[in-house]
Each structure stands twice: as C-alpha cells, then as structure tokens.
Amino acid sequence: MANPWNDPEAQPFIRIQGVSKSFGDYVAVNKIDLDIYQGELFSLLGGSGCGKTTLLRMLAGFETPTEGKIFIDGVDMSSIPPYERPVNMMFQSYALFPHMSVEQNVAFGLKQDGVPKKEIAERVAAILDMVQMGKFASRKPHQLSGGQRQRVALARALVKEPKVLLLDEPLGALDKKLREKTQFELVNIQERIGITFIVVTHDQEEAMTMSTRMAVMNQGMIEQVGSPVEVYEYPATRFVGEFIGSANMFEGTVVEEATDHAVVRCPELDADIFINHATNLPPGAPVVAMVRPEKMKAQVEKPESQYNYVRGVVTEIAYLGDMSIYHVRLATGMVVQISQTNLRHTAEQRLTWDDEVYLTWHPGNCVVLAQ
Ligand code: ATP
C-alpha cells in the first residue's frame, strides 16, 4: 500500500487545523495541526497530561476546541454533535452493561438506532465472529476475562460501522502478555475492516507495534509526526529521542559542516563524532548527538579510526534473556548504555564487570539535534 501521507495529491480524511483547548487559563492542547488519512492506524503518544485524551475527545465531539477547526471527510465538525459524527469511541473502561449478555451489549447501539431485528442479528453475529467472541455471545461481562471484555467493547464500537474509531488506551486494562497479543489482533482487525483507527496511548512500544504513523505529544503540542521507524531512527527533537526507546545523548558543538559530512565535538567523548551527512547547522552551533544503545559496539582494542569512540568501564550488566544491557562509565562520570543481542548460549567474548572497553559506532548511526 502506498503511503498517502507521502502523496501530495492525497486528501486527508481527518484534518485538524490550529486546534487549541484551554481549561480556564490552562492550555491542554496548543495549536495543533495534523492530517490523518483513511485506513491509518494512527497513535497519539505522550506522557500523562500531554493533552492526547483531550484531542481525542475533541474529535469525538465531547469537547469543543477553544480555537481552530476539525474536518472529518471534508465536513467542518464545529456544529456537529457527537452522535452525528462518523466516529465512535471505545473508552478505556470499556463501559459494558453488566446486566446484558455479550450479544445484547453489542446489539445495543443498533437497537437504539432502530435497525431491523434481522439485520441486527446478522451484524452482531458477524462482528462477534470477527473478534472471535461468537461462542461467548450469551455470557455476561463478569464471566469474561479482561482481554475478552476488550474484544466485546471493540465489537460494540465497530458494529455501528463508524468511519473512524477512536480508542482511548484500548489495552490499558490488560497484562503485558495479553497486551502484546491483543496489539496484533487489533492491527489485524483494523486491516481487515479498513477503517481509520486513532489510538491514544502512553506506551511507546504499543504505538511502535501498531501504528502506521504516530504523533508524539508534549505539553499540548506535537513534537513529531512520523512512522515508527522515522520517529525511532530520526527523532526530530531531544524530547522525542528520549521518550521513544533508550538514547545516549552527548552535548557538543558542530566543528565542521560539509554537504556530505559533519564533525561534532563533545566534552564527554575521547574522539570527535563523524557523521556521514550534513547537519544543516553552522560550525559553533550547540547540538546534542544521540546514539542508541543497540547501535554501539564494545571492543577491547583501541579503534583504528580517529572518530566515533569513547573509553569506559563496565559498571552494570542486566541479562534479559534475549539481550543484555550494559552500563559503561566514562572518564567524565557519564554513564552510557549499550545493548547486545544474545545470539549464542555462550558468547566468546562476553563483557563483564570492570572490563575496560572502547565503545564505537558507525557514522550513520548518530543523530544530531539542534539544542
Ligand atoms: P493521561 O495519559 O494522564 O490521560 P492525557 O495526555 O490524556 O493524559 P489529558 O486528559 O488530555 O491528558 O489532559 C491534559 C491536561 O488538561 C491535564 O493537565 C488535565 O489535568 C487537563 N484537563 C483535562 N480535562 C480537563 C477539564 N475538564 N478541566 C480542567 N482541566 C482538564
């Protein structure tokens, strides 16, 4: 599938234009511009209180923007009440009716809309099959597991065939294992029905696993919009680099800038950083250079290159089974994190405490961000 966000001709399905929301003098959402395309699974990701739920609630019509406009399918939503919007919201609590069976819960909205009985039965059966809850149709919510309740809530939201489904922390109530499994299920269901999902989450792994694209929010603003790979490999700001995954950040200055490379000097490091592309910043500009833990290699011998290394001592080791994380303390006292995949049962040269090592990285594996 071509990515519509890279196609200048493509029309966004949801257009958020200069939207702000204040509660008294507190600005929860601050002048957000965002386009979301049909069929996307788009995540709003950010820490607690960054405004992601408020933005979702404005899309649903439960909050009115203080400023700006929201268009869905080309229609200005300013005067459209929640129940007339082509969106449906799945709440974190799932809000299932406890006294109704699974089937009745899912049928409820269609009944309210006066859909004929026969059609209700067909649609409910089809959607319960899709979320693999057909055989539990007559159970009550308290007879279901957390994951099953989540799927019923999803079925109830989908049965009304909204053009957009808004999901607020959809997997928040599930334990880690089930969460991971359900992430894949949710993506599969979304791909099969092809409607646009907008998911609010504070869990970066969840956003990375599920999304076509994501917006990383901070203090009511969007710091970056991009695919999981773009956001992880090329964070636009220091906040994004630190929020998504682990990152070693070295503060420094640009000392050389050319069309095909740049050199950055950092007081923490023993050698200058060589980057195999331009930074578009002038010499003297203060920057922060980011190297992810898995992009660093440890070796005992001094590297031959005059660039991209630092010496340190291994101070901590965390063995996680599939991988190990090492903390390496530099001469300056800064602690750098590196990770290694445990490919063999016994690696020939496993690092151990107090080992003196040189950490190195490839010139393409350092991201330079303006300070
Ligand atoms: P969380 O992950 O904790 O739910 P969030 O990013 O979804 O966080 P929001 O619920 O959007 O955050 O809230 C953003 C900010 O706006 C918070 O500081 C919150 O206290 C404030 N806020 C939200 N709703 C209201 C309200 N009705 N009245 C006053 N302040 C509010």
Side-chain angles (χ1 to χ4, degrees):
M1 183 181 79
N3 295 333
W5 52 92
N6 291 329
D7 176 1
E9 303 283 303
Q11 286 298 316
F13 191 64
I14 295 175
R15 171 153 269 184
I16 298 171
Q17 264 182 351
V19 164
S20 297
K21 177 71 187 178
S22 304
F23 296 105
D25 53 10
Y26 183 79
V27 184
V29 170
N30 196 352
K31 295 198 182 64
I32 283 189
D33 291 304
L34 180 63
D35 287 342
I36 298 173
Y37 294 84
Q38 193 151 26
E40 275 204 84
L41 198 162
F42 192 97
S43 296
L44 298 170
L45 174 69
S48 184
C50 70
K52 49 198 191 302
T53 300
T54 304
L55 185 59
L56 198 74
R57 290 173 58 81
M58 286 194 278
L59 286 167
F62 300 137
E63 300 282 1
T64 313
T66 314
E67 227 186 309
K69 279 192 190 304
I70 294 172
F71 296 87
I72 301 180
D73 207 5
V75 180
D76 182 353
M77 290 290 125
S78 304
S79 56
I80 313 275
Y83 55 88
E84 282 180 14
R85 297 189 180 201
V87 305
N88 212 343
M89 182 136 165
M90 191 183 119
F91 294 95
Q92 191 172 3
S93 58
Y94 308 152
L96 298 176
F97 300 116
H99 57 285
M100 289 187 191
S101 68
V102 165
E103 197 170 25
Q104 289 164 336
N105 261 287
V106 177
F108 183 80
L110 298 179
K111 253 191 200 154
Q112 295 281 92
D113 291 350
V115 176
K117 261 201 170 144
K118 186 161 169 283
E119 188 185 333
I120 294 182
E122 285 166 6
R123 278 166 68 176
V124 169
I127 208 82
L128 284 178
D129 263 357
M130 176 177 291
V131 299
Q132 296 174 346
M133 286 298 292
K135 59 176 187 286
F136 299 117
S138 54
R139 285 210 192 167
K140 299 271 171 63
H142 74 271
Q143 297 168 313
L144 302 173
S145 72
Q148 290 165 342
R149 277 200 286 270
Q150 192 270 351
R151 280 186 267 159
V152 176
L154 185 64
R156 191 177 58 174
L158 288 174
V159 80
K160 292 190 76 175
E161 298 171 359
K163 290 184 179 161
V164 181
L165 184 62
L166 308 173
L167 304 102
D168 190 359
E169 299 278 0
L171 311 177
L174 310 182
D175 66 45
K176 189 170 171 354
K177 265 260 154 65
L178 189 57
R179 230 179 138 103
E180 284 168 6
K181 181 168 161 267
T182 315
Q183 285 165 8
F184 289 110
E185 273 180 19
L186 209 55
V187 172
N188 279 335
I189 291 171
Q190 191 267 346
E191 280 175 353
R192 256 184 291 159
I193 54 179
I195 71 168
T196 309
F197 276 26
I198 303 179
V199 178
V200 157
T201 178
H202 66 275
D203 180 334
Q204 43 119 349
E205 269 178 43
E206 187 163 296
M208 298 280 288
T209 309
M210 299 201 304
S211 318
T212 49
R213 289 188 308 152
M214 57 210 225
V216 183
M217 291 183 65
N218 181 26
Q219 298 186 344
M221 290 188 270
I222 291 181
E223 295 254 342
Q224 185 172 6
V225 177
S227 68
V229 174
E230 284 164 352
V231 171
Y232 184 82
E233 298 289 349
Y234 308 105
T237 64
R238 182 174 186 156
F239 175 85
V240 174
E242 284 174 337
F243 190 79
I244 311 274
S246 304
N248 297 303
M249 297 285 185
F250 303 103
E251 290 179 1
T253 355
V254 177
V255 290
E256 200 180 315
E257 169 74 3
T259 50
D260 63 346
H261 74 272
V263 178
V264 171
R265 185 160 299 154
C266 304
E268 304 278 1
L269 302 178
D270 300 330
D272 285 345
I273 298 180
F274 184 92
I275 303 131
N276 61 5
H277 56 83
T279 64
N280 299 319
L281 294 164
V287 291
V288 54
M290 181 195 89
V291 189
R292 298 256 184 223
E294 74 280 9
K295 305 282 199 295
M296 283 190 160
K297 300 255 170 307
Q299 62 187 60
V300 175
E301 318 78 50
K302 187 167 192 282
E304 279 167 21
S305 165
Q306 66 177 111
Y307 295 112
N308 297 356
Y309 70 84
V310 63
R311 215 161 71 115
V313 177
V314 177
T315 55
E316 301 279 355
I317 304 173
Y319 174 71
L320 303 179
D322 56 344
M323 60 183 284
S324 295
I325 294 172
Y326 302 87
H327 285 184
V328 176
R329 198 176 57 237
L330 310 184
T332 58
M334 179 179 179
V335 175
V336 171
Q337 192 175 317
I338 69 164
S339 60
Q340 284 184 352
T341 318
N342 295 324
L343 296 176
R344 299 188 190 87
H345 285 296
T346 47
E348 305 89 285
Q349 252 203 340
R350 218 173 239 175
L351 297 177
T352 186
W353 284 272
D354 297 331
D355 273 357
E356 287 201 12
V357 288
Y358 288 91
L359 305 178
T360 67
W361 57 94
H362 186 268
N365 282 338
C366 176
V367 176
V368 175
L369 302 163
Q371 283 232 47

